[in-house]
C-alpha cells in the first residue's frame, strides 16, 4: 500500500520529539512538506537538523511558537497560512493526586491539550474546505476513555479532544475534508520513561521497569508492552492519505487493545 502526499503541506504540533517527531518523519517520507513546531528556536532547529539526517530527501520548515497562547498560535498561522494536513499532537501529561490538582493546573491542561488544537482547526479548516481537500488529526489517548486515577486532568482534556474532533467533522461534512482523532495507547517516549519511573522503582532497568509499569498500572493492555512512536505515526500517515477518504468523525484506536471495548 503506497502513500504519496507529494505536494501537500503538513503542520505537526509538538513535533520536536516523541510521537510528533515520528509523525513528522513519516509524513516527510511520503513526500509531504512538513512544518515542525516547538516552543523554542533551539528545540525546533535541533529537530529539523535531526529530521534532515533521518529523511535526507524530506522538506522541513520551522514554526516556533507556544500554541497554548494566542500570540504563539497567531505567529505560527501567520508564518504558515496554508496547510493541507494538520496534526494536533501537542500535549502535556503527568501524575498527580486528584485532590491536589489546583484550578490553574486544570486550566493549563485545557489550554495546552484542547484549546491549542481548537485554535488551529479554526484557522486552517476554512482553507481546506475551500480547496476541497484536507486532513485534520488530533492525537488523543486511551486516557480519554479509561480515565486514569493518577491523572484525571489529563484524561479530561483528551476526552474533550474527542468531542472537538467529532464536532469539527460535522462542520466539514461533504467538503472533502476529514477530521479524526487517534486514540494512542501507552507509548514509549522520553517523557513516558520519566512517567514510568515516577510510578515504579527507579533502580529497575528499563525493560523491567516497563514490564512492571504495564503489569501494575496498565494490566488490560493486550499488547503487554509500550507502543513505539512509529506505530502511532503509521496510523496518522494512513488517515492523512487519500486512502482514508471515507474515514471521518472517528476516534481511531492505536492502543494495543488497552481500551476494553469493541468501540471507543
Amino acid at each position: 500500500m503506497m502513500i504519496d502526499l507529494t505536494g501537500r503541506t503538513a503542520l505537526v504540533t509538538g513535533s520536536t520529539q516523541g510521537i510528533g517527531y515520528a509523525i513528522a518523519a513519516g509524513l516527510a517520507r511520503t513526500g509531504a512538506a512538513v512544518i515542525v513546531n516547538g516552543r523554542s528556536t533551539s528545540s525546533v532547529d535541533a529537530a529539523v537538523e535531526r529530521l534532515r539526517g533521518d529523511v535526507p530527501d524530506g522538506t522541513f520548515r520551522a514554526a516556533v511558537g507556544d500554541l497554548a497562547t494566542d500570540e504563539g498560535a497567531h505567529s505560527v498561522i501567520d508564518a504558515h497560512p496554508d496547510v493541507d494536513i494538520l496534526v494536533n499532537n501537542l500535549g502535556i501529561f503527568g501524575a498527580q493526586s486528584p485532590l491536589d490538582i489546583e484550578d490553574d493546573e486544570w486550566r493549563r491542561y485545557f489550554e495546552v491539550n484542547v484549546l491549542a488544537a481548537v485554535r488551529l482547526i479554526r484557522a486552517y479548516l476554512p482553507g481546506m474546505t475551500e480547496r476541497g481537500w484536507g486532513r485534520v488529526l488530533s492525537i488523543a489517548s486511551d486516557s480519554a476513555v479509561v480515565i486514569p486515577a493518577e491523572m484525571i486532568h489529563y484524561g479530561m482534556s483528551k476526552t474533550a479532544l474527542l468531542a472537538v474532533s467529532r464536532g469539527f467533522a460535522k462542520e466539514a461534512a461533504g467538503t472533502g475534508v476529514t477530521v479524526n482523532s487517534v486514540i494512542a495507547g501507552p507509548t514509549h517516549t522520553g517523557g513516558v520513561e520519566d512517567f514510568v519511573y515516577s510510578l515504579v522503582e527507579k533502580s529497575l532497568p528499563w525493560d523491567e521497569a516497563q514490564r512492571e509499569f504495564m503489569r501494575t498500572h496498565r494490566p488490560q493492555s493486550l499488547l503487554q508492552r509500550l507502543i513505539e512512536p512509529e506505530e502511532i505515526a503509521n496510523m496518522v500517515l494512513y488517515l492523512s492519505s487519500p486512502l482514508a477518504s471515507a474515514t471521518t468523525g472517528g476516534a481511531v484506536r492505536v492502543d494495543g487493545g488497552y481500551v476494553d471495548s469493541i468501540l471507543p
Side-chain angles (χ1 to χ4, degrees), residues 11 58 76 80 103 105 133 164 175-176 184 241 251 255 259:
L11 168 60
V76 170
H80 305 279
D103 288 358
E105 191 72 343
W133 196 94
V164 165
T175 65
S241 77
D255 67 338
V259 178

Side-chain angles (χ1 to χ4, degrees), residues 239-263:
L239 292 173
S240 298
S241 77
L243 299 173
S245 56
T247 303
T248 190
V252 183
R253 289 164 51 182
V254 192
D255 67 338
Y258 177 82
V259 178
D260 192 13
S261 172
I262 296 173
L263 295 173

Side-chain angles (χ1 to χ4, degrees), residues 60-132:
F60 301 99
R61 303 169 190 165
V64 179
D66 182 355
L67 300 174
T69 68
D70 284 329
E71 181 181 2
H74 285 305
S75 69
V76 170
I77 294 163
D78 290 344
H80 305 279
D82 295 316
V83 166
D84 302 300
I85 300 165
L86 170 63
V87 183
N88 290 308
N89 170 74
L90 174 65
I92 54 175
F93 65 93
Q96 191 170 357
S97 173
L99 298 179
D100 294 335
I101 304 171
E102 300 289 344
D103 288 358
D104 285 346
E105 191 72 343
W106 282 100
R107 294 188 187 98
R108 185 169 77 97
Y109 270 73
F110 186 81
E111 286 278 352
V112 177
N113 291 1
V114 184
L115 196 51
V118 171
R119 287 189 182 99
L120 294 183
I121 297 172
R122 196 169 55 210
Y124 288 119
L125 188 60
M128 294 180 186
T129 57
E130 287 174 11
R131 294 188 295 272

Side-chain angles (χ1 to χ4, degrees), residues 115-159:
L115 196 51
V118 171
R119 287 189 182 99
L120 294 183
I121 297 172
R122 196 169 55 210
Y124 288 119
L125 188 60
M128 294 180 186
T129 57
E130 287 174 11
R131 294 188 295 272
W133 196 94
R135 299 288 184 265
V136 176
L137 296 163
S138 295
I139 307 303
S141 166
D142 55 78
S143 296
V145 184
V146 185
I147 305 295
E150 73 276 8
M151 46 182 186
I152 294 174
H153 52 339
Y154 173 74
M156 171 278 302
S157 69
K158 292 301 184 177
T159 304

Side-chain angles (χ1 to χ4, degrees), residues 126-229:
M128 294 180 186
T129 57
E130 287 174 11
R131 294 188 295 272
W133 196 94
R135 299 288 184 265
V136 176
L137 296 163
S138 295
I139 307 303
S141 166
D142 55 78
S143 296
V145 184
V146 185
I147 305 295
E150 73 276 8
M151 46 182 186
I152 294 174
H153 52 339
Y154 173 74
M156 171 278 302
S157 69
K158 292 301 184 177
T159 304
L161 202 54
L162 298 185
V164 165
S165 296
R166 179 67 183 180
F168 276 111
K170 292 180 178 180
E171 173 65 21
T175 65
V177 179
T178 66
V179 184
N180 293 288
S181 53
V182 174
I183 298 181
T187 305
H188 180 199
T189 65
V192 167
E193 286 191 16
D194 294 338
F195 176 64
V196 167
Y197 277 118
S198 75
L199 295 173
V200 304
E201 176 55 50
K202 290 180 173 60
S203 64
L204 289 174
W206 169 246
D207 285 345
E208 291 182 31
Q210 175 183 193
R211 287 195 295 270
E212 177 63 21
F213 169 76
M214 297 300 288
R215 180 169 55 251
T216 305
H217 297 280
R218 302 291 187 269
Q220 61 269 53
S221 169
L222 302 183
L223 201 60
Q224 298 185 352
R225 65 166 173 82
L226 290 173
I227 299 164
E228 293 301 320

